[in-house]
Amino acid sequence: MDRVLQDRRRLGHLEIGATELAIRDAMHRVGRGLLEQLLNADHGGHCGQRVACRNGHQAEFIDYRTKHVQTILGAAQVRRAYYHCMECEEGERGVIPKDQELDMVGTSFSPGMRRLMARVGAQEPFDAARQDLAELAGVVVPTKAVERISEAVGTATEAADQAARAGILAGQGLPVAGAARLYVALDGTGVPAVPRETEGRTGKAADGKAKTREAKLGCVFTQTGCDEEGWPIRDPESTTYVGAIETAEEFGSRLYTEAVRRGLKRATTVLVLGDGAPWIWNLAEALFPGAVHIVDLYHAREHLAAVGRLAFGSGSETGKAWVAARRDELDDGDVEVVIAAIRTLPSNDPKVQDELRKEAEYFETNKLRMCYKHFRARGFFVGSGVIEAGCKTVIGQRLKQSGMRWTVAGANAVIALRCRLLGTRWEELWRSAA
Ligand SMILES: [Zn+2]
């Protein structure tokens, strides 16, 4: 192709790109004017000489005050009637009905702006989020504001979820049609924390001190059928997540409520999937006693591989053959045979003996959760891949990037946002806010 023509085309792209951005800015200016008119179309929210304050006193109208509000279309000025309550504590005496009406109490960011900030803040590090806001939406805000607003929206989301729990447990707003199979999967993953959040906790680091806090994540999904080969298929868009850095007990109530919200009471079969961690099965026994409990097949296989390494050394052919045979037995549901085989492995090293005993116990404790042949015949999922992927996407990709150190409150706010975002419940969050 003609070189000059090529150059001209490239130039054309550049000019059009700049023009597009200029037009967007111009449209924002026009839009901001319209929005400002709309925001000021009332009488500043004036509702008589007196209004009730939040404590039920009578607050007196003083004057009109203007607030600069950062909106998606730029800074807008909003005129609001200001009332003063003499009976309230100092610092809490101002009453502005219009701020309440516009959902802008104590903030100068509009609801639309907060939605954008929370979304990008949930997706990426706050400074990258600020840059994307400028590039994609043409709005310029400080990094700290993205952080503050993201955390505030996440905290509010968590508070709203908590408030909704009693209603859910009482049967409000539950799905009418029951799913055939409802799965509950749970797992834990470490989130790097600031030193004051890990004080006095022991961890895996060389100095024995904890550097992370465990976030617990749960997901609920449904399965209606299997493919032609009999492998289970997860219902599209059926996965929702809940999670936080909290005790197993607190997490249990969170997870149970989510399962109820998703139709626990109406499901034909309920299944719980997890690795072998004791807290997982303690919760499962307490919360879902009638469910089918399944230990992730791949974790069970990893334990077999570990036994092979312990007893035969890594890379040993005899070891590999031993592991392969046990794997077949495990697939066939012969857990007792596997346990017996581990128990008869010879070793002169007391440390190895101890490790082998622990491995045998792992299979013994979980044997009813390892009936893989039976599970497969019924077309159940036997792997906890969904929740492990969830730990990576919901938690890892945003909270475990290099150099990050979180407070528990900050991490939990972002986790709350990401559970909504990745569990297809983002839109619902803003509908309920409205
Ligand atoms: Zn008052």
Side-chain angles (χ1 to χ4, degrees):
M1 193 192 278
D2 185 333
R3 184 66 193 273
V4 176
L5 190 62
Q6 246 180 5
D7 283 347
R8 238 181 234 163
R9 282 202 178 157
R10 200 175 303 132
L11 188 65
H13 275 299
L14 286 175
E15 282 173 349
I16 288 167
T19 309
E20 284 174 82
L21 290 174
I23 292 173
R24 182 180 73 184
D25 288 348
M27 290 186 72
H28 274 189
R29 276 195 296 280
V30 174
R32 189 179 60 222
L34 290 171
L35 184 65
E36 217 164 36
Q37 275 179 33
L38 195 66
L39 289 171
N40 292 299
D42 62 356
H43 299 286
H46 185 273
C47 32
Q49 195 55 35
R50 283 179 194 85
V51 294
C53 78
R54 74 174 79 81
N55 294 317
H57 313 131
Q58 290 291 300
E60 190 93 15
F61 172 71
I62 304 292
D63 57 5
Y64 288 96
R65 296 186 180 181
T66 297
K67 171 145 108 175
H68 299 268
V69 177
Q70 174 95 47
T71 77
I72 293 175
L73 303 165
Q77 298 202 0
V78 183
R79 191 166 170 265
R80 311 109 77 227
Y82 177 85
Y83 294 76
H84 188 81
C85 175
M86 288 303 288
E87 290 175 74
C88 273
E89 297 278 322
E90 194 134 14
E92 292 175 12
R93 291 181 172 171
V95 180
I96 303 170
K98 183 151 181 173
D99 280 3
Q100 291 161 11
E101 190 190 312
L102 296 177
D103 183 20
M104 281 195 272
V105 177
T107 178
S108 58
F109 292 101
S110 70
M113 203 46 216
R114 297 205 299 275
R115 176 175 175 158
L116 294 192
M117 292 163 91
R119 186 176 177 102
V120 289
Q123 295 276 33
E124 52 187 345
F126 299 118
D127 194 53
R130 171 191 64 80
Q131 292 174 42
D132 274 350
L133 270 181
E135 181 78 18
L136 301 175
V139 291
V140 177
V141 291
T143 300
K144 197 68 196 166
V146 179
E147 179 176 348
R148 222 163 12 86
I149 294 296
S150 300
E151 292 190 0
V153 174
T155 306
T157 302
E158 169 65 11
D161 279 352
Q162 262 182 26
R165 279 186 206 159
I168 291 167
L169 294 177
Q172 286 164 17
L174 302 187
V176 179
R181 288 167 183 179
L182 182 118
Y183 288 81
V184 176
L186 54 165
D187 203 356
T189 183
V191 171
V194 296
R196 73 178 155 86
E197 299 281 18
T198 57
E199 226 170 71
R201 290 167 179 267
T202 51
K204 292 176 197 152
D207 60 3
K209 285 181 187 154
K211 301 280 186 287
T212 62
R213 290 289 300 268
E214 186 187 51
K216 296 180 175 71
L217 187 72
C219 71
V220 177
F221 62 95
T222 59
Q223 177 212 344
T224 306
C226 297
D227 66 11
E228 301 106 48
E229 287 169 38
W231 296 100
I233 302 171
R234 182 159 45 122
D235 294 335
E237 311 245 308
S238 77
T239 313
T240 52
Y241 300 97
V242 291
I245 299 174
E246 62 191 346
T247 64
E249 195 189 358
E250 290 164 332
F251 176 72
S253 130
R254 178 189 301 276
L255 181 63
Y256 179 76
T257 317
E258 178 63 8
V260 171
R261 191 186 71 81
R262 296 294 311 281
L264 176 75
K265 303 282 169 70
R266 286 178 178 268
T268 313
T269 311
V270 178
L271 303 99
V272 183
L273 279 166
D275 59 23
W279 71 266
I280 287 179
W281 298 111
N282 289 341
L283 273 189
E285 298 289 351
L287 301 174
F288 310 102
V292 180
H293 295 177
I294 304 177
V295 160
D296 173 51
L297 172 66
Y298 306 94
H299 273 87
R301 284 183 178 169
E302 274 170 28
H303 278 265
L304 283 182
V307 171
R309 282 192 302 273
L310 277 167
F312 302 94
S314 46
S316 141
E317 287 303 319
T318 326
K320 276 184 200 159
W322 185 93
V323 170
R326 299 298 86 75
R327 218 173 120 147
D328 290 345
E329 288 161 5
L330 193 64
D331 285 350
D332 275 341
D334 296 332
V335 193
E336 295 286 5
V337 178
V338 173
I339 297 166
I342 299 172
R343 292 222 159 111
T344 52
L345 282 172
S347 171
N348 300 325
D349 183 343
K351 244 174 134 177
V352 172
Q353 279 169 6
D354 194 46
E355 289 296 317
L356 287 174
R357 191 183 45 75
K358 279 185 195 155
E359 291 293 352
E361 267 167 26
Y362 169 82
F363 286 95
E364 184 68 50
T365 310
N366 291 305
K367 65 183 174 192
L368 291 178
R369 304 175 190 129
M370 293 182 176
C371 309
Y372 297 118
K373 192 179 185 181
H374 168 71
F375 298 152
R376 280 239 173 96
R378 298 195 58 189
F380 295 158
F381 279 99
V382 294
S384 57
V386 177
I387 191 65
E388 277 156 45
C391 279
K392 290 200 182 83
T393 54
V394 177
I395 312 277
Q397 282 173 10
R398 176 66 184 88
L399 289 107
K400 294 168 82 161
Q401 295 189 28
S402 73
M404 286 183 174
R405 291 281 176 271
W406 295 85
T407 61
V408 170
N412 280 347
V414 171
I415 292 170
L417 289 179
R418 289 182 69 76
C419 282
R420 288 301 191 114
L421 199 55
L422 297 163
T424 62
R425 294 185 67 204
W426 181 255
E427 186 61 40
E428 187 189 320
L429 175 64
W430 300 95
R431 269 208 311 275
S432 63

